[in-house]
Amino acid sequence: MVDVVVIGAGPVGLACALEVQRVGLTAVVVDKGALVNSIIGYPTNMEFFSTPELLEIGGHPFPVSSYKPLREDGIDYYRRVAQTENLDLRLYERVTGLEGEPGNYEIVTEKGRINCRYVVVATGFYDVPNYLNVPGEDLPHVSHYYKEPYAHAHQDVVVVGAKNSSAKAALQLLRAGARVTMVIRGAEISNSVKYWIRPDLLNRIKEGRIKVHFNATIQRILTDTVKLDTPEGPLTIPANYVYALTGYHPDFSFLTALGITCQLDAAQTPTHDAETLETNRPGVYLAGTVCGGLNTSRWFIENGRYHAQVIAAHLAGQPAPALPEVLQPVQLTPQS
């Protein structure tokens, strides 16, 4: 038996295992995919919006030559931290259930069972896309994840969405020789797009190098076209490839399988105590982005990493560390 099983081998999950070990407890990290699987799924050479020190875990320095690290820098950094801390990693092992009670839990996986006293769920949100739910969305030339633009030179590419991922993809695709059309449900490019990306995109749209349809929705995706509903009426546009970058959300069915309930608010916030991060199931904790439910911009690496210290302190019977006020989550009452 180990003291704690951490589900999720992302930066916050690794931080949780690290802090648990530092208070004298044993930990195992289980993930259905690779180490920092979500970061591996990010676009090639993607630049983090944060500076290196805000991505550090466990006090390990994150040295990079540039002001903001790239995806590849992050993958290497977190691998080195896990190796230095000698974390017990069980990768490519999907968790399917949780049985037992606090102090005597069994994590059920596709490869067997792990006995533990407590559980930390740090599963993020990047694995479950917000689907368009339109015919043709399952066609092979449709993707909810953007990697790189080079295969799309001299091709018609439709990008759905108006936030950072869509904006960066559209710009990269344009500069790699693709003919880019954006389909945006709202009336403008989101104001949340980073300040150095938004003007670039707006100018390319103004030049006509990137086409855009505002207040438009996709009705159907075909093998080489997309049918839209626009303010001017139905419209068909060419599409050799479609990137539906409409966001992601936590795996609520997985939380349910673990016995974790959700609030009745708009974000479907998983039930947890704001002071300890313990869920409605005693001995089971949440950490990182999953704490916010559909509000996926509430927690991220920069502030979610502090959850590791809070959980470790609570498990060790120590006072919780004081968090900066900006990092304090909203207190939730248990769901009745």
Side-chain angles (χ1 to χ4, degrees), residues 123-125 128-130 248-256 260-272 279-280 286 288-296 298-299 330 332-335:
T123 48
F125 69 100
V128 187
N130 295 328
Y248 312 91
H249 62 269
D251 188 344
F252 292 109
S253 62
F254 179 69
L255 296 178
T256 299
I260 299 172
T261 62
C262 292
Q263 301 294 304
L264 301 178
D265 58 358
Q268 300 178 43
T269 309
T271 306
H272 65 282
T279 69
N280 61 282
L286 297 180
T289 308
V290 69
C291 294
L294 294 176
N295 186 4
T296 55
R298 177 66 182 92
W299 299 105
V330 177
L332 297 174
T333 56
Q335 181 178 350

Side-chain angles (χ1 to χ4, degrees), residues 57-193:
I57 59 174
H60 291 273
F62 188 173
V64 290
S65 58
S66 56
Y67 175 62
K68 293 182 179 179
L70 301 179
R71 159 189 177 268
E72 289 73 13
D73 297 321
I75 293 171
D76 186 57
Y77 168 74
Y78 293 115
R79 177 194 60 79
R80 287 186 289 108
V81 170
Q83 181 175 321
T84 300
E85 294 285 345
N86 197 29
L87 297 181
D88 187 347
L89 304 174
R90 303 191 186 186
L91 305 175
Y92 299 99
E93 185 169 351
R94 182 182 294 272
V95 173
T96 59
L98 174 63
E99 299 176 1
E101 56 189 21
N104 189 28
Y105 276 127
E106 273 196 332
I107 296 285
V108 183
T109 79
E110 291 179 338
K111 296 182 179 181
R113 292 172 177 260
I114 307 171
N115 295 319
C116 63
R117 295 170 58 207
Y118 305 102
V119 180
V120 177
V121 181
T123 48
F125 69 100
Y126 194 60
D127 292 328
V128 187
N130 295 328
Y131 290 107
L132 299 172
N133 294 317
V134 298
E137 190 172 8
D138 58 348
L139 289 172
H141 69 296
V142 181
S143 177
H144 295 86
Y145 297 92
Y146 168 78
K147 196 72 175 179
E148 58 185 22
Y150 309 113
H152 304 304
H154 304 286
Q155 299 290 296
D156 294 300
V157 182
V158 172
V159 178
V160 186
K163 295 188 177 180
N164 282 295
S165 297
S166 301
K168 293 192 73 171
L171 289 168
Q172 285 192 1
L173 286 160
L174 169 69
R175 288 169 178 141
R179 297 181 292 271
V180 183
T181 301
M182 299 186 72
V183 177
I184 296 173
R185 184 174 56 183
E188 62 178 356
I189 301 297
S190 173
N191 288 322
S192 67
V193 174

